[in-house]
Amino acid sequence: MAIIKVVCAHCDTTDGVVKNGKAPSGIQRYLCRNCRQSFQLEFVYNANKPGAHERIVDMAMNGSGVRDTGRVLGISPTTVIKPLKKLVPRQVTSLPFDNEELVLICQMDEQWSYVGNKKNQRWLFYAWEPRYQRVIAHVFGRRTKKTLKKLIKLVKPYKFKFYCTDDWKPYGSELPEDSHVISKKLTQSIERTNLTLRTRLKRLTRRTICFSRSDELHDKVIGEFISRTWYQRV
Ligand SMILES: [Zn+2]
C-alpha cells in the first residue's frame, strides 16, 4: 500500500493531519491538529497551478469579489487575497509626455466609508488630462491638504498650461496662482466624460468592500486597475 502524507496548507506540518468530513461540494476536508485549521487539498492544488495568480488579479480587475474568484477558480478566499496583497501599482503614468504642455483637472472621489464609522473615509484624488483622455496620477487618502500635496508631488515632472479644479480651498493654496483655474462648469463637464471611469471604479470599490475592509487591499486593487487602464499604453 502506498501512503501519501497530507501536508497542512497553513503550517506545512504532516503530523496530526486527519480527515475531517466532506465539503458541500463532495471534496474531502482535512483538519490539522497542530494549528487547528481545516483545508481542502483541491484548493491548494488549484492555487499552485501555473497562471493562477494572474487569473486572480485579472478577475479582480474585472470586478470579481474575492468570494466569486474563489468559487470560479476553486481556491480558498484567504488564498485569493495573497496575490492581491502583493500588487505594487504605479501611482503615476509611465508615459513621457516630453515637453508637452498638459492641462490638469484635479478631481476627488469619495470611495467609501466604513459602515458605522464615518471617520474611515477613503478618498481617491486623481489628475485627469482632458486632451489625452486619461488619468495621469492618483493618490488615496483622507480629504486633506496632505493627500493633495502627494498628488501634486507626483505630477511635478510634467509641464502644465493650467490646473483646473473646483473651489475646494486647499487647491488655492497648493497650486500656482497664475495657472490655477477654478471652474465648476469645466470640472462638471469632465465629470460627464469621466462617467465610465466613475461607474467602473464605483463598481470595483463596491466589490472590493465586500471582501475587505482594509485600506491596503482597497488601494492596491483600485490602484492596479487605474494603472492598467491608463498608465501603461497610449
Ligand atoms: Zn496546520
Side-chain angles (χ1 to χ4, degrees):
M1 193 165 82
I3 296 168
I4 296 167
K5 282 195 169 174
V6 174
V7 182
C8 170
H10 303 283
C11 70
D12 291 334
T13 190
T14 50
D15 292 332
V17 175
V18 293
K19 285 186 178 178
N20 187 31
K22 298 223 164 140
S25 52
I27 291 165
Q28 182 65 51
R29 298 182 62 88
Y30 296 91
L31 175 73
C32 169
R33 288 193 166 139
N34 185 42
C35 70
R36 309 299 310 166
Q37 299 200 70
S38 66
F39 60 95
Q40 297 178 21
L41 275 185
E42 273 68 11
F43 280 175
V44 181
Y45 294 147
N46 288 334
N48 290 325
K49 275 182 191 166
H53 284 200
E54 288 77 9
R55 293 189 70 190
I56 288 171
V57 176
D58 284 345
M59 284 191 72
M61 294 304 106
N62 282 287
S64 300
V66 159
R67 268 158 229 290
D68 305 315
T69 303
R71 271 193 300 270
V72 170
L73 302 182
I75 297 171
S76 73
T78 8
T79 312
V80 169
I81 288 173
K82 283 178 195 167
L84 300 179
K85 280 205 164 159
K86 281 194 194 137
L87 290 172
V88 191
R90 293 187 66 93
Q91 283 187 283
V92 64
T93 184
S94 59
L95 308 175
F97 295 122
D98 287 332
N99 296 314
E100 291 248 31
E101 279 204 314
L102 302 173
V103 172
L104 200 70
I105 299 181
C106 296
Q107 297 240 283
M108 289 174 290
D109 256 344
E110 189 184 6
Q111 288 281 296
W112 100 72
S113 49
Y114 289 136
V115 183
N117 187 356
K118 279 269 175 209
K119 270 188 214 153
N120 262 320
Q121 284 170 329
R122 201 82 187 145
W123 287 75
L124 166 65
F125 283 49
Y126 63 96
W128 177 263
E129 212 295 325
R131 201 150 44 101
Y132 286 93
Q133 291 280 303
R134 59 177 52 239
V135 178
I136 65 164
H138 77 272
V139 179
F140 292 101
R142 299 175 66 84
R143 195 175 189 267
T144 58
K145 198 186 264 190
K146 203 177 143 198
T147 312
L148 174 64
K149 276 185 168 171
K150 282 187 197 160
L151 182 70
I152 293 172
K153 203 177 163 196
L154 285 174
V155 298
K156 211 137 216 170
Y158 302 102
K159 277 190 210 163
F160 295 100
K161 205 183 279 174
F162 66 90
Y163 301 84
C164 177
T165 71
D166 62 25
D167 57 3
W168 187 53
K169 277 228 170 74
Y171 285 132
S173 60
E174 296 308 316
L175 293 171
E177 205 179 330
D178 53 352
S179 51
H180 180 208
V181 181
I182 297 172
S183 163
K184 273 234 156 114
K185 235 183 195 168
L186 202 54
T187 50
Q188 273 164 7
S189 82
I190 291 306
E191 273 170 34
R192 276 192 296 278
T193 64
N194 272 358
L195 219 58
T196 336
L197 156 69
R198 280 157 176 260
T199 317
R200 289 180 74 183
L201 284 181
K202 281 247 158 67
R203 187 164 150 261
L204 217 58
T205 312
R206 219 169 30 239
R207 302 311 300 271
T208 311
I209 301 164
C210 293
F211 65 73
S212 165
R213 296 259 159 93
S214 90
D215 290 352
E216 184 200 355
L217 217 52
H218 168 272
D219 295 4
K220 284 183 173 172
V221 172
I222 307 291
E224 181 70 15
F225 174 82
I226 293 174
S227 172
R228 285 188 180 199
T229 311
W230 287 288
Y231 296 167
Q232 286 150 22
R233 61 196 156 81
V234 183

